[in-house]
Amino acid sequence: MSALPDLAPATAAAAPSPRPSLAGLTRAGLSDALGEAGVPERERRMRTNQLWHWIYHRGAVSFDEMTNVSKTLRAALAERFTLERPEIVTEQISTDGTRKWLIRLPPSGKDTRPHEIEAVYIPESDRGTLCVSSQVGCTLACTFCHTGTQTLVRNLTAAEIVAQLLIARDRIGDWPGMERAKDGLVPDAERAVTNIVFMGMGEPLYNLDEVKDAIEVISDGDGLSLSRRRITVSTSGVVPEIERLGAESGPMLAISLHATHDKLRNELVPLNKKYDIRALLDACRAYPGASNARRITFEYVMLKGVNDSDAEARELVRLLKGIPAKINLIPFNPWPGTKYECSDWERIEQFSEIVFRAGYASPVRTPRGRDILAACGQLKSATERLRARARLATEAPEAE
Ligand code: SAH
Ligand code: SF4
């Protein structure tokens, strides 16, 4: 068990840093911080822009780097704040280049406990996608999803969502002037992280205000500069919030559909009892900006003998008629204790063939990072296992 002593603090209350970090804050948040550091109102806008550039364009981790900011202000900021990112508990790199970070969040608000979340980086030849979490756990309990079995839930702050991107770029060496990491694949693109998907832990539309702020920071052209067309929010179908997401933020939308009739969807995605398939598809039809160039992604997890028949493939295509859609077939990722199995490969091929013939291209999501349990629906399970092992290590070291 000697490999795990660094995990032990996860079970104890982590001492919160006496100085809060500015990394991940919105412009309004930075402006308030500058006010606290004594910067007069009239200068704050200009100073905010300077901080913004250093934090989000250059990836600064210390105020000392900010050479166009006066020494006095740098000192005043350093006295009160840091640019620290949340702690990385573990980093795993898959043989296929997928990376997974287990990140410890310090206590926030009334919640006095630290929590862990995961972020996953998936490199491809022409792009690099970062899958971020929006909540610790999830309240929605979809029956095929391991995250949904976790009882403990808290919303992430916008800063905690943005920090996942900062951490990924730090670790990959994805800031201007930095050397790219050589262990593992990175895409042949100017930036290693080109896309963000909200497909990690949590239901992003149950934390929409913070998700919106995070998208604001991530898409800002003077900083992280990932356009909204490269940011995808995946939802299990929180219908009223889909409209708000479209009107107030406007990223790409992905819908976790998984079934073509309400009886089955009620079982797989219990939220369907509140917002059924018809209401969900109506919200999709009304999603602003959806067009053939900006299609809505429909995710469909392949569950053996449950939702994978030819008839369901045909029904799926029929349901989506008239919606600018992409279909993403996801091989089910099993987890310990689940009652589901992944459909056989031939079945997935046959299903995808029907979908393909109806005009939807290359729809199967290739499993990535399976050796490090980086796939959807497995997030957090690994964390909990590590926790249990860490407890074992501290409580009964002689047992191993
Ligand atoms: N809560 C949001 C986003 C996070 S889940 C949502 O449900 O859309 C991201 C995607 O992973 C969803 O499509 C979800 O249905 C899928 N997923 C969850 N568990 C899975 C599993 N065990 N195997 C494959 N996909 C899974
Ligand atoms: Fe929550 Fe999404 Fe998992 Fe459903 S699939 S339990 S909404 S994270």
Side-chain angles (χ1 to χ4, degrees), residues 238-306:
V238 190
V239 165
E241 302 295 70
I242 291 177
E243 190 188 337
R244 264 189 75 209
L245 178 76
E248 299 172 20
S249 183
M252 304 296 281
L253 179 64
I255 302 288
S256 296
L257 191 61
H258 307 320
T260 56
H261 54 92
D262 284 322
K263 188 162 171 279
L264 179 61
R265 195 162 192 272
N266 285 346
E267 188 189 313
L268 298 179
V269 184
L271 184 67
N272 194 70
K273 292 181 207 148
K274 203 160 172 194
Y275 308 112
D276 63 12
I277 295 179
R278 178 197 282 257
L280 180 55
L281 296 182
D282 282 348
C284 291
R285 282 190 193 90
Y287 192 72
S291 66
N292 282 340
R294 300 193 62 181
R295 289 167 190 267
I296 296 173
T297 301
F298 287 86
E299 295 154 282
Y300 196 94
V301 63
M302 299 300 297
L303 302 170
K304 188 178 196 164
V306 174

Side-chain angles (χ1 to χ4, degrees), residues 280-351:
L280 180 55
L281 296 182
D282 282 348
C284 291
R285 282 190 193 90
Y287 192 72
S291 66
N292 282 340
R294 300 193 62 181
R295 289 167 190 267
I296 296 173
T297 301
F298 287 86
E299 295 154 282
Y300 196 94
V301 63
M302 299 300 297
L303 302 170
K304 188 178 196 164
V306 174
N307 66 354
D308 60 355
S309 69
D310 287 355
E312 280 157 309
R314 285 191 288 270
E315 181 57 13
L316 176 61
V317 169
R318 198 193 63 79
L319 271 180
L320 300 185
K321 241 191 197 117
I323 302 176
K326 283 195 274 205
I327 295 172
N328 215 320
L329 301 181
I330 315 175
F332 171 63
N333 271 296
W335 37 272
T338 180
K339 60 176 178 182
Y340 299 107
E341 283 175 74
C342 183
S343 309
D344 296 332
W345 196 250
E346 300 79 64
R347 185 86 296 271
I348 299 180
E349 278 187 340
Q350 174 69 17
F351 194 101

Side-chain angles (χ1 to χ4, degrees), residues 138 140-142 145 148 202-203 236:
C138 185
L140 282 173
C142 300
C145 173
E203 169 48 57
S236 56

Side-chain angles (χ1 to χ4, degrees), residues 1 388-389 391-400:
M1 266 299 154
R389 280 164 65 192
R391 257 199 309 276
L392 252 180
T394 48
E395 284 166 10
E398 68 282 5
E400 293 211 6

Side-chain angles (χ1 to χ4, degrees), residues 9 24 27 32 87 91 119 197 217 236 299 307 311 314 349 374:
R27 282 181 190 274
D32 290 347
E87 180 193 348
E91 173 178 68
V197 292
V217 175
S236 56
E299 295 154 282
N307 66 354
R314 285 191 288 270
E349 278 187 340

